[in-house]
Amino acid sequence: MTTTLLDVISWAFLLIGGASVIIGTLGILRLPDVYTRMHAASITDTLGAGMIVAGLAIQGGFSLVSAKLFLIFVFLLFTSPVSTHALAKAALTAGVTPAGTDRKSGKGAEAP
Amino acid sequence: MLRSLSLGAVLFATWLLLSGFYDDPLLLGLGVVSTVLVVYIAHRMDVIDHEGHPVQLSFGGVMYWPWLLWEIVKSNIGVAKVILSPSMPATPVFFKIKSSQKTDLGRTIYANSITLTPGTITVAIDGEDFLIHALTREGAKGVMSGKMDRKVSRLEAPSETPA
Amino acid sequence: MFGAVAAALLVAMGMAIIRALKGPTVFDRILSVNTFGTKTVLLIAVIGFLQKRPDFLDIALVYALINFITTIAVLKFFEFSHLGTPIGEEEAEDL
């Protein structure tokens, strides 16, 4: 009984994870410029990876497998903002013009 | 010295977790040797300090991580809505904010938390000024409300006394 | 069930390749290669469960780290045009 319940929960997690990976990639295809595409990419890195890892960890049970999955998730969480920030800064330094940016406060899109 | 010991403990725990061998004295000995070597090199490089091995954040981090994960889930739903709606109501905006953290470590945590939350990216940091790119106006308002800023400041507050 | 997730990941990887081919800037390509790497990590983990071989998780762990290093190295190359420590102005004058 409990195994079926756990299976259903883990399937739900895996489905949400797979769906958010596809949504994130769809965003990479649809959104207009590189800065907005980064937002879509971080859906894959956070919700997609987190949900798939959680679903797999429930299947793995309380074991070394789940511990390794947790470590994979932690590595992804720590590395993804660093590479996103490096990418955004490199794009801004190289002078990629942001699409449809309106200047709300501050100077706007010049590199500091 | 205490920091080196705790770094060694964390490294050896990670080694045990990844190897999965607990009964072979030779392998355990090799694990101890590599742990000691890494701690010695880190000590020589002088990177075991409050930034390289921030144990002082452990207790605050236990409170901070679940809150951050919940924020990530909420903003994921917002960004997914923008992507899936046929008209794509994205209103990308660059803006600057001031952060209230005092240490570089606190600023790094704040900038990474902003970037980790989908919909907002920290593009550049200059002192306490952050240049942020947001996908929607709502996301920009969320950062400007400063809730995350206060949380991170509270997280780093115990580290004000030099450890 | 794992097969469905693996299929979703493969579809997403195909879409990421389309963006990598279309560009238009080099940063779009780096971004899609980076997300391609993240999906590869997840795919390796899922395949490990599909084949009932948990050893695959170690490979996924290492791949996550290599993917990060690759992105940073390529970005550094495109931002500064070289990978080493930039020489300062004074040293450049000495040469």
Side-chain angles (χ1 to χ4, degrees), chain C residues 31-73:
Chain C
L31 177 70
S32 54
V33 168
N34 187 22
T35 52
F36 191 87
T38 309
K39 285 172 199 113
T40 312
V41 172
L42 296 173
L43 184 67
I44 293 173
V46 172
I47 287 178
F49 273 79
L50 202 60
Q51 310 252 333
K52 301 212 185 332
R53 288 172 69 183
D55 321 346
F56 271 51
L57 287 177
D58 296 316
I59 303 173
L61 206 58
V62 174
Y63 201 97
L65 295 175
I66 292 179
N67 182 38
F68 170 63
I69 303 282
T70 312
T71 310
I72 294 297

mmCIF file of all heavy atoms in Angstrom, chain C residues 31-73:
data_model
loop_
_atom_site.group_PDB
_atom_site.id
_atom_site.type_symbol
_atom_site.label_atom_id
_atom_site.label_comp_id
_atom_site.label_asym_id
_atom_site.label_seq_id
_atom_site.Cartn_x
_atom_site.Cartn_y
_atom_site.Cartn_z
ATOM 1 N N LEU C 31 24.668 29.398 -23.917
ATOM 2 C CA LEU C 31 23.538 29.140 -23.010
ATOM 3 C C LEU C 31 22.887 27.802 -23.336
ATOM 4 O O LEU C 31 22.628 26.997 -22.436
ATOM 5 C CB LEU C 31 22.518 30.274 -23.141
ATOM 6 C CG LEU C 31 21.252 30.116 -22.316
ATOM 7 C CD1 LEU C 31 21.564 30.281 -20.851
ATOM 8 C CD2 LEU C 31 20.206 31.116 -22.737
ATOM 9 N N SER C 32 22.664 27.537 -24.617
ATOM 10 C CA SER C 32 21.983 26.280 -24.937
ATOM 11 C C SER C 32 22.896 25.085 -24.694
ATOM 12 O O SER C 32 22.422 24.023 -24.295
ATOM 13 C CB SER C 32 21.445 26.300 -26.367
ATOM 14 O OG SER C 32 22.458 26.604 -27.260
ATOM 15 N N VAL C 33 24.206 25.258 -24.913
ATOM 16 C CA VAL C 33 25.111 24.146 -24.599
ATOM 17 C C VAL C 33 25.114 23.880 -23.098
ATOM 18 O O VAL C 33 25.130 22.732 -22.650
ATOM 19 C CB VAL C 33 26.539 24.468 -25.110
ATOM 20 C CG1 VAL C 33 27.533 23.481 -24.541
ATOM 21 C CG2 VAL C 33 26.569 24.421 -26.611
ATOM 22 N N ASN C 34 25.037 24.961 -22.292
ATOM 23 C CA ASN C 34 25.007 24.791 -20.842
ATOM 24 C C ASN C 34 23.758 24.033 -20.396
ATOM 25 O O ASN C 34 23.833 23.095 -19.598
ATOM 26 C CB ASN C 34 25.068 26.180 -20.181
ATOM 27 C CG ASN C 34 25.217 26.090 -18.690
ATOM 28 O OD1 ASN C 34 25.661 25.075 -18.177
ATOM 29 N ND2 ASN C 34 24.840 27.138 -17.989
ATOM 30 N N THR C 35 22.579 24.422 -20.924
ATOM 31 C CA THR C 35 21.360 23.702 -20.517
ATOM 32 C C THR C 35 21.375 22.285 -21.076
ATOM 33 O O THR C 35 20.857 21.368 -20.443
ATOM 34 C CB THR C 35 20.100 24.420 -21.003
ATOM 35 O OG1 THR C 35 20.234 24.647 -22.391
ATOM 36 C CG2 THR C 35 19.900 25.706 -20.289
ATOM 37 N N PHE C 36 21.988 22.112 -22.255
ATOM 38 C CA PHE C 36 22.140 20.758 -22.799
ATOM 39 C C PHE C 36 22.923 19.894 -21.813
ATOM 40 O O PHE C 36 22.563 18.737 -21.572
ATOM 41 C CB PHE C 36 22.868 20.843 -24.144
ATOM 42 C CG PHE C 36 22.866 19.574 -24.928
ATOM 43 C CD1 PHE C 36 21.820 19.286 -25.769
ATOM 44 C CD2 PHE C 36 23.911 18.685 -24.825
ATOM 45 C CE1 PHE C 36 21.809 18.111 -26.493
ATOM 46 C CE2 PHE C 36 23.904 17.511 -25.547
ATOM 47 C CZ PHE C 36 22.853 17.216 -26.382
ATOM 48 N N GLY C 37 23.975 20.471 -21.229
ATOM 49 C CA GLY C 37 24.766 19.724 -20.254
ATOM 50 C C GLY C 37 23.962 19.373 -19.022
ATOM 51 O O GLY C 37 24.034 18.247 -18.516
ATOM 52 N N THR C 38 23.148 20.330 -18.515
ATOM 53 C CA THR C 38 22.313 20.040 -17.351
ATOM 54 C C THR C 38 21.359 18.889 -17.646
ATOM 55 O O THR C 38 21.163 17.986 -16.827
ATOM 56 C CB THR C 38 21.512 21.287 -16.962
ATOM 57 O OG1 THR C 38 22.391 22.381 -16.863
ATOM 58 C CG2 THR C 38 20.807 21.081 -15.657
ATOM 59 N N LYS C 39 20.764 18.925 -18.864
ATOM 60 C CA LYS C 39 19.838 17.845 -19.226
ATOM 61 C C LYS C 39 20.577 16.527 -19.362
ATOM 62 O O LYS C 39 20.027 15.474 -19.038
ATOM 63 C CB LYS C 39 19.129 18.203 -20.521
ATOM 64 C CG LYS C 39 18.084 19.248 -20.312
ATOM 65 C CD LYS C 39 17.532 19.727 -21.609
ATOM 66 C CE LYS C 39 16.852 21.046 -21.419
ATOM 67 N NZ LYS C 39 17.540 22.135 -22.095
ATOM 68 N N THR C 40 21.844 16.584 -19.838
ATOM 69 C CA THR C 40 22.615 15.346 -19.932
ATOM 70 C C THR C 40 22.821 14.735 -18.551
ATOM 71 O O THR C 40 22.705 13.517 -18.378
ATOM 72 C CB THR C 40 23.975 15.615 -20.588
ATOM 73 O OG1 THR C 40 23.763 16.373 -21.759
ATOM 74 C CG2 THR C 40 24.663 14.330 -20.932
ATOM 75 N N VAL C 41 23.133 15.583 -17.559
ATOM 76 C CA VAL C 41 23.303 15.089 -16.187
ATOM 77 C C VAL C 41 22.041 14.356 -15.741
ATOM 78 O O VAL C 41 22.088 13.229 -15.222
ATOM 79 C CB VAL C 41 23.613 16.263 -15.234
ATOM 80 C CG1 VAL C 41 23.596 15.789 -13.798
ATOM 81 C CG2 VAL C 41 24.947 16.873 -15.567
ATOM 82 N N LEU C 42 20.878 15.002 -15.950
ATOM 83 C CA LEU C 42 19.621 14.378 -15.535
ATOM 84 C C LEU C 42 19.366 13.095 -16.313
ATOM 85 O O LEU C 42 18.910 12.093 -15.751
ATOM 86 C CB LEU C 42 18.466 15.364 -15.729
ATOM 87 C CG LEU C 42 18.550 16.614 -14.861
ATOM 88 C CD1 LEU C 42 17.467 17.589 -15.243
ATOM 89 C CD2 LEU C 42 18.421 16.243 -13.406
ATOM 90 N N LEU C 43 19.688 13.121 -17.625
ATOM 91 C CA LEU C 43 19.445 11.933 -18.452
ATOM 92 C C LEU C 43 20.304 10.768 -17.984
ATOM 93 O O LEU C 43 19.826 9.625 -17.926
ATOM 94 C CB LEU C 43 19.739 12.266 -19.912
ATOM 95 C CG LEU C 43 19.444 11.158 -20.918
ATOM 96 C CD1 LEU C 43 17.949 10.912 -20.993
ATOM 97 C CD2 LEU C 43 19.966 11.497 -22.289
ATOM 98 N N ILE C 44 21.571 11.053 -17.633
ATOM 99 C CA ILE C 44 22.443 9.974 -17.150
ATOM 100 C C ILE C 44 21.855 9.368 -15.873
ATOM 101 O O ILE C 44 21.806 8.149 -15.705
ATOM 102 C CB ILE C 44 23.873 10.500 -16.905
ATOM 103 C CG1 ILE C 44 24.532 10.889 -18.221
ATOM 104 C CG2 ILE C 44 24.714 9.441 -16.233
ATOM 105 C CD1 ILE C 44 25.865 11.553 -18.047
ATOM 106 N N ALA C 45 21.366 10.246 -14.958
ATOM 107 C CA ALA C 45 20.778 9.742 -13.715
ATOM 108 C C ALA C 45 19.555 8.877 -14.008
ATOM 109 O O ALA C 45 19.383 7.796 -13.435
ATOM 110 C CB ALA C 45 20.407 10.911 -12.803
ATOM 111 N N VAL C 46 18.694 9.347 -14.927
ATOM 112 C CA VAL C 46 17.474 8.582 -15.246
ATOM 113 C C VAL C 46 17.833 7.255 -15.904
ATOM 114 O O VAL C 46 17.237 6.216 -15.594
ATOM 115 C CB VAL C 46 16.555 9.427 -16.160
ATOM 116 C CG1 VAL C 46 15.401 8.585 -16.656
ATOM 117 C CG2 VAL C 46 16.011 10.609 -15.413
ATOM 118 N N ILE C 47 18.842 7.262 -16.804
ATOM 119 C CA ILE C 47 19.245 6.008 -17.451
ATOM 120 C C ILE C 47 19.784 5.025 -16.415
ATOM 121 O O ILE C 47 19.543 3.816 -16.500
ATOM 122 C CB ILE C 47 20.287 6.295 -18.555
ATOM 123 C CG1 ILE C 47 19.603 6.946 -19.746
ATOM 124 C CG2 ILE C 47 20.957 5.014 -19.008
ATOM 125 C CD1 ILE C 47 20.536 7.310 -20.854
ATOM 126 N N GLY C 48 20.497 5.571 -15.395
ATOM 127 C CA GLY C 48 20.978 4.705 -14.329
ATOM 128 C C GLY C 48 19.835 3.957 -13.658
ATOM 129 O O GLY C 48 19.955 2.780 -13.326
ATOM 130 N N PHE C 49 18.692 4.651 -13.455
ATOM 131 C CA PHE C 49 17.539 3.985 -12.856
ATOM 132 C C PHE C 49 16.869 3.046 -13.844
ATOM 133 O O PHE C 49 16.392 1.973 -13.473
ATOM 134 C CB PHE C 49 16.526 5.026 -12.363
ATOM 135 C CG PHE C 49 16.812 5.479 -10.977
ATOM 136 C CD1 PHE C 49 17.806 6.413 -10.745
ATOM 137 C CD2 PHE C 49 16.110 4.972 -9.903
ATOM 138 C CE1 PHE C 49 18.082 6.826 -9.467
ATOM 139 C CE2 PHE C 49 16.379 5.393 -8.619
ATOM 140 C CZ PHE C 49 17.375 6.321 -8.403
ATOM 141 N N LEU C 50 16.842 3.452 -15.118
ATOM 142 C CA LEU C 50 16.185 2.658 -16.155
ATOM 143 C C LEU C 50 16.869 1.306 -16.300
ATOM 144 O O LEU C 50 16.215 0.277 -16.439
ATOM 145 C CB LEU C 50 16.252 3.437 -17.473
ATOM 146 C CG LEU C 50 15.257 3.119 -18.573
ATOM 147 C CD1 LEU C 50 13.861 3.366 -18.071
ATOM 148 C CD2 LEU C 50 15.539 4.000 -19.769
ATOM 149 N N GLN C 51 18.224 1.320 -16.235
ATOM 150 C CA GLN C 51 18.982 0.081 -16.397
ATOM 151 C C GLN C 51 19.282 -0.588 -15.059
ATOM 152 O O GLN C 51 20.000 -1.577 -15.030
ATOM 153 C CB GLN C 51 20.307 0.395 -17.093
ATOM 154 C CG GLN C 51 20.167 1.218 -18.341
ATOM 155 C CD GLN C 51 20.432 0.391 -19.563
ATOM 156 O OE1 GLN C 51 21.157 -0.573 -19.505
ATOM 157 N NE2 GLN C 51 19.836 0.768 -20.680
ATOM 158 N N LYS C 52 18.794 0.004 -13.959
ATOM 159 C CA LYS C 52 19.065 -0.500 -12.604
ATOM 160 C C LYS C 52 20.570 -0.591 -12.338
ATOM 161 O O LYS C 52 21.061 -1.583 -11.811
ATOM 162 C CB LYS C 52 18.408 -1.868 -12.394
ATOM 163 C CG LYS C 52 16.905 -1.835 -12.579
ATOM 164 C CD LYS C 52 16.248 -2.846 -11.688
ATOM 165 C CE LYS C 52 14.748 -2.945 -11.910
ATOM 166 N NZ LYS C 52 14.110 -1.730 -12.392
ATOM 167 N N ARG C 53 21.298 0.432 -12.759
ATOM 168 C CA ARG C 53 22.738 0.476 -12.472
ATOM 169 C C ARG C 53 23.062 1.787 -11.786
ATOM 170 O O ARG C 53 23.305 2.805 -12.435
ATOM 171 C CB ARG C 53 23.540 0.362 -13.767
ATOM 172 C CG ARG C 53 23.491 -1.023 -14.332
ATOM 173 C CD ARG C 53 24.102 -1.083 -15.687
ATOM 174 N NE ARG C 53 25.549 -0.882 -15.667
ATOM 175 C CZ ARG C 53 26.288 -0.830 -16.762
ATOM 176 N NH1 ARG C 53 25.728 -0.960 -17.938
ATOM 177 N NH2 ARG C 53 27.579 -0.656 -16.666
ATOM 178 N N PRO C 54 23.041 1.801 -10.442
ATOM 179 C CA PRO C 54 23.236 3.064 -9.709
ATOM 180 C C PRO C 54 24.631 3.661 -9.880
ATOM 181 O O PRO C 54 24.842 4.805 -9.487
ATOM 182 C CB PRO C 54 22.967 2.668 -8.253
ATOM 183 C CG PRO C 54 22.960 1.206 -8.219
ATOM 184 C CD PRO C 54 22.710 0.695 -9.578
ATOM 185 N N ASP C 55 25.585 2.903 -10.489
ATOM 186 C CA ASP C 55 26.919 3.467 -10.698
ATOM 187 C C ASP C 55 26.865 4.693 -11.600
ATOM 188 O O ASP C 55 27.751 5.542 -11.543
ATOM 189 C CB ASP C 55 27.856 2.440 -11.352
ATOM 190 C CG ASP C 55 27.639 1.054 -10.799
ATOM 191 O OD1 ASP C 55 26.987 0.955 -9.759
ATOM 192 O OD2 ASP C 55 28.124 0.103 -11.416
ATOM 193 N N PHE C 56 25.806 4.752 -12.452
ATOM 194 C CA PHE C 56 25.700 5.870 -13.376
ATOM 195 C C PHE C 56 25.658 7.206 -12.640
ATOM 196 O O PHE C 56 26.002 8.241 -13.197
ATOM 197 C CB PHE C 56 24.438 5.720 -14.227
ATOM 198 C CG PHE C 56 24.645 4.937 -15.477
ATOM 199 C CD1 PHE C 56 25.250 3.695 -15.425
ATOM 200 C CD2 PHE C 56 24.237 5.423 -16.699
ATOM 201 C CE1 PHE C 56 25.459 2.962 -16.575
ATOM 202 C CE2 PHE C 56 24.441 4.701 -17.850
ATOM 203 C CZ PHE C 56 25.044 3.464 -17.789
ATOM 204 N N LEU C 57 25.204 7.182 -11.365
ATOM 205 C CA LEU C 57 25.068 8.446 -10.637
ATOM 206 C C LEU C 57 26.418 9.110 -10.438
ATOM 207 O O LEU C 57 26.524 10.338 -10.448
ATOM 208 C CB LEU C 57 24.403 8.196 -9.281
ATOM 209 C CG LEU C 57 22.922 7.900 -9.377
ATOM 210 C CD1 LEU C 57 22.372 7.604 -8.009
ATOM 211 C CD2 LEU C 57 22.201 9.065 -9.987
ATOM 212 N N ASP C 58 27.491 8.299 -10.259
ATOM 213 C CA ASP C 58 28.827 8.887 -10.105
ATOM 214 C C ASP C 58 29.213 9.649 -11.366
ATOM 215 O O ASP C 58 29.770 10.746 -11.309
ATOM 216 C CB ASP C 58 29.843 7.793 -9.810
ATOM 217 C CG ASP C 58 29.553 7.103 -8.491
ATOM 218 O OD1 ASP C 58 29.257 7.825 -7.536
ATOM 219 O OD2 ASP C 58 29.600 5.872 -8.437
ATOM 220 N N ILE C 59 28.882 9.023 -12.527
ATOM 221 C CA ILE C 59 29.196 9.693 -13.794
ATOM 222 C C ILE C 59 28.416 11.003 -13.894
ATOM 223 O O ILE C 59 28.948 12.028 -14.308
ATOM 224 C CB ILE C 59 28.867 8.753 -14.965
ATOM 225 C CG1 ILE C 59 29.620 7.451 -14.813
ATOM 226 C CG2 ILE C 59 29.206 9.409 -16.284
ATOM 227 C CD1 ILE C 59 29.231 6.408 -15.821
ATOM 228 N N ALA C 60 27.135 10.971 -13.488
ATOM 229 C CA ALA C 60 26.324 12.189 -13.542
ATOM 230 C C ALA C 60 26.934 13.282 -12.668
ATOM 231 O O ALA C 60 27.008 14.450 -13.057
ATOM 232 C CB ALA C 60 24.902 11.886 -13.078
ATOM 233 N N LEU C 61 27.410 12.872 -11.478
ATOM 234 C CA LEU C 61 28.019 13.830 -10.547
ATOM 235 C C LEU C 61 29.226 14.509 -11.193
ATOM 236 O O LEU C 61 29.355 15.743 -11.187
ATOM 237 C CB LEU C 61 28.443 13.062 -9.302
ATOM 238 C CG LEU C 61 28.559 13.774 -7.977
ATOM 239 C CD1 LEU C 61 27.243 14.381 -7.633
ATOM 240 C CD2 LEU C 61 28.945 12.761 -6.917
ATOM 241 N N VAL C 62 30.111 13.678 -11.791
ATOM 242 C CA VAL C 62 31.312 14.238 -12.419
ATOM 243 C C VAL C 62 30.928 15.096 -13.616
ATOM 244 O O VAL C 62 31.505 16.161 -13.849
ATOM 245 C CB VAL C 62 32.270 13.088 -12.818
ATOM 246 C CG1 VAL C 62 33.443 13.638 -13.601
ATOM 247 C CG2 VAL C 62 32.766 12.390 -11.593
ATOM 248 N N TYR C 63 29.906 14.641 -14.375
ATOM 249 C CA TYR C 63 29.497 15.409 -15.553
ATOM 250 C C TYR C 63 28.972 16.786 -15.164
ATOM 251 O O TYR C 63 29.215 17.778 -15.871
ATOM 252 C CB TYR C 63 28.425 14.642 -16.336
ATOM 253 C CG TYR C 63 28.324 15.093 -17.761
ATOM 254 C CD1 TYR C 63 28.968 14.407 -18.768
ATOM 255 C CD2 TYR C 63 27.613 16.237 -18.106
ATOM 256 C CE1 TYR C 63 28.909 14.833 -20.067
ATOM 257 C CE2 TYR C 63 27.556 16.669 -19.406
ATOM 258 C CZ TYR C 63 28.203 15.960 -20.384
ATOM 259 O OH TYR C 63 28.159 16.399 -21.655
ATOM 260 N N ALA C 64 28.264 16.865 -14.009
ATOM 261 C CA ALA C 64 27.757 18.166 -13.555
ATOM 262 C C ALA C 64 28.919 19.121 -13.330
ATOM 263 O O ALA C 64 28.872 20.298 -13.737
ATOM 264 C CB ALA C 64 26.947 18.002 -12.279
ATOM 265 N N LEU C 65 30.005 18.618 -12.702
ATOM 266 C CA LEU C 65 31.152 19.490 -12.424
ATOM 267 C C LEU C 65 31.863 19.880 -13.712
ATOM 268 O O LEU C 65 32.226 21.047 -13.918
ATOM 269 C CB LEU C 65 32.114 18.781 -11.476
ATOM 270 C CG LEU C 65 31.511 18.518 -10.103
ATOM 271 C CD1 LEU C 65 32.461 17.716 -9.248
ATOM 272 C CD2 LEU C 65 31.181 19.821 -9.425
ATOM 273 N N ILE C 66 32.053 18.891 -14.636
ATOM 274 C CA ILE C 66 32.753 19.194 -15.889
ATOM 275 C C ILE C 66 31.968 20.219 -16.699
ATOM 276 O O ILE C 66 32.534 21.129 -17.307
ATOM 277 C CB ILE C 66 32.976 17.904 -16.702
ATOM 278 C CG1 ILE C 66 33.980 17.011 -15.991
ATOM 279 C CG2 ILE C 66 33.489 18.222 -18.087
ATOM 280 C CD1 ILE C 66 34.237 15.732 -16.708
ATOM 281 N N ASN C 67 30.637 20.077 -16.698
ATOM 282 C CA ASN C 67 29.785 20.993 -17.446
ATOM 283 C C ASN C 67 29.972 22.429 -16.954
ATOM 284 O O ASN C 67 30.105 23.370 -17.749
ATOM 285 C CB ASN C 67 28.332 20.551 -17.265
ATOM 286 C CG ASN C 67 27.373 21.405 -18.043
ATOM 287 O OD1 ASN C 67 27.677 21.801 -19.154
ATOM 288 N ND2 ASN C 67 26.241 21.684 -17.452
ATOM 289 N N PHE C 68 30.031 22.582 -15.626
ATOM 290 C CA PHE C 68 30.221 23.917 -15.040
ATOM 291 C C PHE C 68 31.571 24.503 -15.464
ATOM 292 O O PHE C 68 31.663 25.647 -15.923
ATOM 293 C CB PHE C 68 30.125 23.802 -13.523
ATOM 294 C CG PHE C 68 30.527 25.027 -12.779
ATOM 295 C CD1 PHE C 68 29.818 26.202 -12.947
ATOM 296 C CD2 PHE C 68 31.601 25.016 -11.914
ATOM 297 C CE1 PHE C 68 30.180 27.330 -12.262
ATOM 298 C CE2 PHE C 68 31.960 26.133 -11.232
ATOM 299 C CZ PHE C 68 31.260 27.294 -11.400
ATOM 300 N N ILE C 69 32.632 23.674 -15.331
ATOM 301 C CA ILE C 69 33.972 24.159 -15.676
ATOM 302 C C ILE C 69 34.036 24.554 -17.154
ATOM 303 O O ILE C 69 34.612 25.587 -17.518
ATOM 304 C CB ILE C 69 35.034 23.078 -15.366
ATOM 305 C CG1 ILE C 69 34.966 22.677 -13.910
ATOM 306 C CG2 ILE C 69 36.419 23.557 -15.711
ATOM 307 C CD1 ILE C 69 35.578 23.611 -12.968
ATOM 308 N N THR C 70 33.400 23.725 -18.011
ATOM 309 C CA THR C 70 33.414 24.015 -19.444
ATOM 310 C C THR C 70 32.787 25.372 -19.726
ATOM 311 O O THR C 70 33.361 26.194 -20.456
ATOM 312 C CB THR C 70 32.633 22.936 -20.201
ATOM 313 O OG1 THR C 70 33.050 21.674 -19.747
ATOM 314 C CG2 THR C 70 32.854 23.065 -21.681
ATOM 315 N N THR C 71 31.594 25.612 -19.133
ATOM 316 C CA THR C 71 30.911 26.876 -19.395
ATOM 317 C C THR C 71 31.776 28.051 -18.963
ATOM 318 O O THR C 71 31.934 29.030 -19.713
ATOM 319 C CB THR C 71 29.568 26.902 -18.642
ATOM 320 O OG1 THR C 71 28.875 25.706 -18.930
ATOM 321 C CG2 THR C 71 28.753 28.093 -19.057
ATOM 322 N N ILE C 72 32.345 27.954 -17.754
ATOM 323 C CA ILE C 72 33.147 29.065 -17.256
ATOM 324 C C ILE C 72 34.373 29.283 -18.148
ATOM 325 O O ILE C 72 34.720 30.428 -18.497
ATOM 326 C CB ILE C 72 33.579 28.794 -15.796
ATOM 327 C CG1 ILE C 72 32.358 28.773 -14.880
ATOM 328 C CG2 ILE C 72 34.555 29.847 -15.320
ATOM 329 C CD1 ILE C 72 31.623 30.070 -14.803
ATOM 330 N N ALA C 73 35.030 28.169 -18.569
ATOM 331 C CA ALA C 73 36.233 28.304 -19.378
ATOM 332 C C ALA C 73 35.916 28.938 -20.725
ATOM 333 O O ALA C 73 36.615 29.864 -21.170
ATOM 334 C CB ALA C 73 36.880 26.932 -19.574
#
